[in-house]
Amino acid sequence: MQPLKYLQGYPTHLTDQVQQLIDNDTLKTLLLKRYPTPHNIKTEKALYDYVVELKNAYLKKSAPISKVAYDNKINVINHALGLHTFISRVHGSKLKAKHEIRIASVFKSAPLEFLRMIVVHELAHLREKEHNKAFYALCCHMEPRYHQLEFDMRMYLTQIELLGPIYSQPKND
């Protein structure tokens, strides 16, 4: 039995169930039943529009987002699925802040629910820098199924790593 690195920290009874799905070759079937299609947000412009729409719906008074991008350099193996960067620069006598969100490229062909969960997570960092109770409460406010989607997304990453993608890959993706 190989360790399930994306599911570390979860209770044994859950990881045992996922391991059983892997052993029975039914994890892909379960994921496809819950998430039958990938999203169609492929361009960085479409991703930016999607993120700004969510931000405006839940965090109107938060600082604007200057850039949103898919990033091939974000390594999901190192526990990074997305990044929120906050850059302060001095412009004359004023301090300017820029907020950038980068999403791991593996989510370019993932279910919309997983992309939303990652975006919600990164948007929550606009208000809460640390992963504390207030941070997760904000995530759940923006996406009530946040914790279930995070677990399912970790099963999805496990599927990709051990058994391959669940959706057929377009030639130019």
Side-chain angles (χ1 to χ4, degrees):
M1 185 166 114
Q2 70 271 20
L4 303 175
K5 67 181 171 190
Y6 296 110
L7 297 166
Q8 291 177 358
Y10 282 94
T12 307
H13 74 279
L14 289 177
T15 57
D16 287 349
Q17 288 176 28
V18 174
Q19 186 63 55
Q20 189 173 16
L21 290 168
I22 292 166
D23 294 343
N24 295 339
D25 198 24
T26 54
L27 181 57
K28 179 177 179 177
T29 304
L30 173 76
L31 290 167
L32 282 171
K33 185 177 178 185
R34 289 184 185 172
Y35 309 101
T37 58
H39 66 78
N40 62 357
I41 302 171
K42 305 298 183 198
T43 67
E44 298 204 345
K45 167 112 177 71
L47 181 61
Y48 178 85
D49 292 344
Y50 179 72
V51 170
V52 168
E53 184 180 322
L54 271 173
K55 181 206 169 290
N56 289 341
Y58 294 100
L59 303 169
K60 289 178 186 164
K61 295 180 182 178
S62 293
I65 307 284
S66 60
K67 182 177 182 178
V68 179
Y70 286 114
D71 193 332
N72 289 324
K73 295 176 185 166
I74 294 178
N75 192 345
V76 294
I77 293 168
N78 294 334
H79 306 293
L81 306 171
L83 294 173
H84 166 255
T85 54
F86 175 76
I87 303 163
S88 295
R89 292 194 174 100
V90 177
H91 287 259
S93 62
K94 293 183 180 178
L95 190 64
K96 297 266 186 169
K98 290 177 76 174
H99 292 272
E100 295 182 2
I101 292 177
R102 297 184 179 277
I103 306 294
S105 292
V106 71
F107 295 105
K108 209 172 193 178
S109 57
L112 182 62
E113 293 89 343
F114 297 167
L115 180 65
R116 180 181 170 96
M117 191 272 311
I118 297 294
V119 168
V120 160
H121 182 99
E122 298 310 325
L123 284 173
H125 281 302
L126 289 173
R127 290 238 178 107
E128 294 291 332
K129 302 300 182 213
E130 302 297 321
H131 293 124
N132 55 27
K133 193 173 182 178
F135 173 85
Y136 287 108
L138 182 56
C139 288
C140 290
H141 170 71
M142 290 189 279
E143 174 50 66
R145 298 182 331 143
Y146 177 83
H147 294 294
Q148 181 64 53
L149 290 173
E150 181 180 10
F151 182 77
D152 289 355
M153 180 266 312
R154 290 177 179 281
M155 286 195 306
Y156 173 76
L157 293 174
T158 300
Q159 165 68 35
I160 290 172
E161 179 184 66
L162 300 178
L163 306 165
I166 67 171
Y167 307 112
S168 58
Q169 300 294 316
K171 299 281 189 242
N172 295 338
D173 209 14

